[in-house]
Structure formats: C-alpha cells, structure tokens
C-alpha cells in the first residue's frame, strides 16, 4: 500500500481523498515507478469535478510525474530498475504507480525530477502548440491568454525564443511582471482592460498570427477579433468554462480564420511523437531557452489546497506535489 490521492465521487477540492492505495506488481509491458515529484494541472480539476469522465471509481487523480523505475514487468525492454523517468498519464497523485512502459520517457541528467514534474504535460503542450498547431516563425505576433500560468509562462518563453513578439493576458499586475520576466513583450490586464482594443493598439491594427487560448468561455468570441485574416485560433483549454456551440460562419466573418481544439494526447499518441516532443522540450530547457518556474510546492497530502489555489487563480507557473 502507498499514499495516494483518490476521487471516489466527483466534486470540489474536498473530493480529493488522501489515503492508502494498492499498487501491485507491474504486469506485462508495465513499469512501477517510485515518484519523486508529481505535476498539478488544470486537467486534474476537470477529472476531479466530473467534467471529464472518471476512468473507474475510485481513481487516482493527476496526469504528470517523475521518478525512478523500481520494477519492470514482462517484455519491458527499454527500461530497467533505477532508470530516471517522467510521463504524462492519469494516475499520478501517488507515492508509487504503475505505468505502461511505452508512455515513459527517460530523463536526461540535466533535468531534475521536480523540473520534469513541472513540465512534461505543460511543456509538451507548449511544444505542440508552437511547433505543430501553428509553427511559430521569427516575426510572428502571438497572443497567449493566462500568460503567467503553467502552460502560459512556458509558451511565452518558447514563443520569444522562436523570434515571435509575445502578447500575454494576465489577471493581476504581479502576474504581468512575471509574464514580462518570462518572455512576454507586452501584457494586458484582461480583467480590467479591453484586450481586443489593446491588441489592436499594440499591433498597429495588424493583429496576431495565432491566439493560444486556454481560458475558454471568458475570452470567446473576443479572441477571434485578435487574429489577422487566415490566422489560427488554438483553443486548448477551458479554465473559465467550456466555449458554447457556435456557428462556424463566424470564422468567415472574422477573416477566413482557422480554429482547432487540440489535445496533447493526439499530438503524442504514437511513441515516435512522444519521444520527439519530449526531446524538443528537454533540449530547449537544457539549453536555457525555456526555464520551468516551479512556483508552488505542496506535500501530497495537501492536494486539496493545491486545487483551491489553482482554481482560485492564486498560482503562477508550475505547481508540484511531493509524495
Ligand atoms: N489541450 C491540451 O493539450 C492542454 C494541455 C495542458 C493544459 N491545457 C489547458 O491549458 C490551460 C492552462 O492550464 P494550466 O494547468 O497551465 O493552468 P494555469 O494556466 O496555471 O491556471 C489557470 C489560469 O487560467 C486563468 N483563468 C482565467 N479565468 C479563470 C477562471 N474562471 N478560473 C480559473 N482560472 C482562470 C488564471 O490566470 P489569470 O489570473 O492570469 O487569468 C489561472 O491562473 C487550462 O485550460 C488547461 O486545461 C490544455
């Protein structure tokens, strides 16, 4: 039995129950990991609240972590006991866990467990957003909503690293300072200012090549007015609630826009894509092009507080749990 945080019945942060859970020996193709650090993500809130369906009841919440392999099941060839690994997969809030070996990635020496737990999900998301959903080029202008958040701070840095002008929306003046220190050229206090007017002003009316929007309901459809003709609306999350159904004709009216609702799962579904995405992330972090600000650390037993902080917009950058 190991310490774990499970959901028996979906609900608010109180639905996170810190208790003992059985892990068992790894089956064929699985590894058992002793976790050194676990990432906290907004998707954990969607699973906890029931917005995303529970895989079983109870289930261990959490989708990102890093640790060392303590056992390998039959047929596992790529990993051995003692290997340092990281992953994105449901079942992370626990001291130890089982994982299909083909979802694990070996950690380079330069990346610590804590860094890995703070970046596998958020950083690989940023990578597919800037390299595949819209390939950011030197000279692009990009708008990043919730720029001081976990994905946000990584996106701002990576966008700037690729040569883009980065505009970030943020919920407070402190967050604006942080976003600026992490790559944003311009910040907009979107709770007080009309962000469309500010984007028009900053870009001299030219607008953005792409809007990366993890906020959802609260920034739609205004986000579309920030995109230049034939630009991309990348709606990758719903921190403020999901976007309601809309008439696709609005994309024509706003300038023949492209719109996508991508997920990391799709972009790392094959082993090849997972390894290529992780490698790019490890490279950009190891070279110092992108830093992973881990601004909140909690004990595993304090997962409820961690969720209250995340949903209460009280966090910046990445948050991790220490088992
Ligand atoms: N599709 C994918 O592949 C994928 C992968 C990873 C994450 N995501 C999405 O990316 C987004 C960011 O995830 P994250 O884990 O890095 O979280 P985060 O950005 O650290 O936290 C969410 C932030 O959203 C902003 N926000 C705006 N309205 C909000 C509201 N009503 N309630 C709470 N927060 C609100 C807050 O920043 P301000 O105070 O500055 O407004 C808050 O700090 C989420 O929507 C998540 O689901 C998607």
């Amino acid at each position: 039995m190991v310490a774990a945080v499970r959901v028996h019945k979906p609900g608010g942060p109180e639905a996170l129950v810190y208790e003992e859970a059985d892990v068992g020996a790894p089956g064929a193709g699985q590894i058992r990991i002793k976790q050194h650090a676990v990432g906290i993500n907004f998707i954990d809130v969607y699973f906890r609240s029931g917005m995303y369906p529970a895989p079983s009841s109870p289930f261990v919440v959490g989708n990102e972590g890093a640790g060392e392999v303590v056992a390998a099941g039959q047929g596992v060839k790529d990993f051995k006991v003692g290997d340092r690994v990281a992953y994105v997969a449901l079942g992370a809030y626990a001291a130890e866990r089982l994982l299909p070996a083909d979802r694990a990635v070996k950690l380079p020496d330069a990346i610590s467990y804590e860094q890995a737990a703070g970046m596998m999900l958020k950083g690989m998301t940023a990578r597919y957003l800037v390299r595949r959903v819209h390939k950011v080029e030197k000279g692009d202008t990009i708008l990043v909503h919730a720029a001081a958040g976990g994905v946000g701070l990584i996106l701002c840095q990576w966008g700037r690293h690729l040569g883009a002008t980065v505009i970030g929306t943020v919920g407070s003046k402190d967050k604006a300072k942080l976003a600026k220190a992490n790559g944003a050229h311009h910040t907009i206090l979107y709770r007080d200012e009309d962000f469309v007017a500010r984007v028009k002003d900053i870009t001299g009316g030219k607008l953005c090549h792409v809007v990366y929007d993890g906020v959802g309901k609260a920034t739609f459809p205004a986000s579309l007015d920030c995109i230049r003709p034939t630009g991309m609306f990348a709606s990758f999350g719903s921190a403020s609630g999901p976007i309601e159904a809309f008439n696709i004709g609005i994309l024509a009216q706003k300038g023949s826009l492209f719109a996508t609702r991508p997920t990391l799962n799709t972009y790392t579904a094959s082993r090849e894509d997972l390894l290529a995405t992780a490698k790019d992330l490890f490279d950009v972090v190891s070279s110092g092009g992108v830093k992973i600000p881990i601004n909140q650390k909690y004990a595993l037993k304090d997962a409820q507080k961690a969720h209250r902080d995340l949903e209460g917009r009280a966090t910046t950058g990445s948050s991790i749990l220490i088992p």
Side-chain angles (χ1 to χ4, degrees):
M1 301 288 268
V2 303
V5 175
R6 296 198 292 188
V7 170
H8 293 253
K9 194 166 167 268
E14 68 287 347
L16 299 173
V17 182
Y18 179 70
E19 59 191 359
E20 295 279 300
D22 200 16
V23 180
Q30 290 184 323
I31 52 176
R32 180 164 168 155
I33 302 170
K34 178 178 176 351
Q35 306 215 94
H36 289 260
V38 169
I40 300 172
N41 292 279
F42 226 88
I43 192 174
D44 306 347
V45 172
Y46 308 149
F47 275 106
R48 187 210 70 213
S49 66
M51 182 172 141
Y52 285 3
S56 61
S57 186
F59 70 99
V60 176
V61 74
N63 293 275
E64 178 180 41
E68 62 186 287
V69 176
V70 291
Q74 212 187 355
V76 173
K77 293 196 177 69
D78 295 343
F79 299 95
K80 59 179 190 319
V81 171
D83 280 350
R84 300 171 73 248
V85 295
Y87 64 86
V88 171
L90 190 59
Y93 289 12
E96 296 196 22
R97 69 164 298 168
L98 299 178
L99 183 78
D102 64 4
R103 290 286 92 196
V105 176
K106 275 188 195 154
L107 270 186
D109 292 343
I111 308 286
S112 72
Y113 288 127
E114 293 195 0
Q115 268 180 318
M119 76 180 194
M120 291 306 289
L121 197 156
K122 292 170 270 282
M124 290 203 296
T125 297
R127 190 272 186 183
Y128 84 71
L129 288 172
V130 298
R131 303 305 293 152
R132 296 187 66 190
V133 165
H134 170 87
K135 209 164 184 308
V136 174
E137 307 284 356
K138 195 171 165 39
D140 279 3
T141 301
I142 72 175
L143 177 65
V144 177
H145 282 308
V151 177
L153 282 186
I154 300 175
L155 263 180
C156 288
Q157 294 179 76
W158 211 325
R160 188 180 188 126
H161 181 71
L162 292 169
T165 297
V166 180
I167 306 173
T169 61
V170 289
S172 71
K173 286 184 180 158
D174 285 345
K175 289 185 179 187
K177 268 191 213 148
L178 191 67
K180 277 209 167 149
N182 285 275
H185 296 85
H186 308 273
T187 53
I188 302 172
L189 295 169
Y190 61 171
R191 296 172 90 166
D192 308 321
E193 300 179 284
D194 174 346
F195 72 83
V196 176
R198 285 289 321 280
V199 167
K200 281 188 180 151
D201 190 36
I202 292 165
T203 61
K206 288 188 172 159
L207 307 179
C208 303
H209 294 80
V210 58
V211 172
Y212 293 117
D213 189 341
V215 170
K217 191 172 185 162
T219 43
F220 189 84
S223 283
L224 302 180
D225 291 322
C226 299
I227 306 171
R228 62 179 65 190
T230 73
M232 173 67 77
F233 176 54
S235 170
F236 68 98
S238 358
S240 67
I243 293 174
E244 278 161 26
F246 64 91
N247 184 338
I248 197 166
I250 195 173
L251 301 178
Q253 291 159 24
K254 304 284 181 187
S256 306
L257 303 182
F258 291 83
T260 182
R261 177 59 181 88
T263 73
L264 178 61
N265 277 348
T266 312
Y267 282 90
T268 53
S270 71
R271 178 96 186 130
E272 199 185 356
D273 278 340
L274 173 65
L275 293 179
T277 306
K279 183 181 180 314
D280 249 20
L281 174 63
F282 294 151
D283 287 350
V284 80
V285 171
S286 303
S287 72
V290 170
K291 295 194 169 51
I292 306 300
I294 295 172
N295 294 346
Q296 295 76 216
K297 259 191 228 184
Y298 307 85
L300 182 61
K301 68 175 173 46
D302 295 328
Q304 289 191 2
K305 172 163 173 42
H307 275 219
R308 284 197 184 93
D309 290 350
L310 182 64
E311 286 175 274
R313 306 168 84 155
T315 65
T316 58
S318 297
S319 305
I320 59 170
L321 296 165
I322 305 296

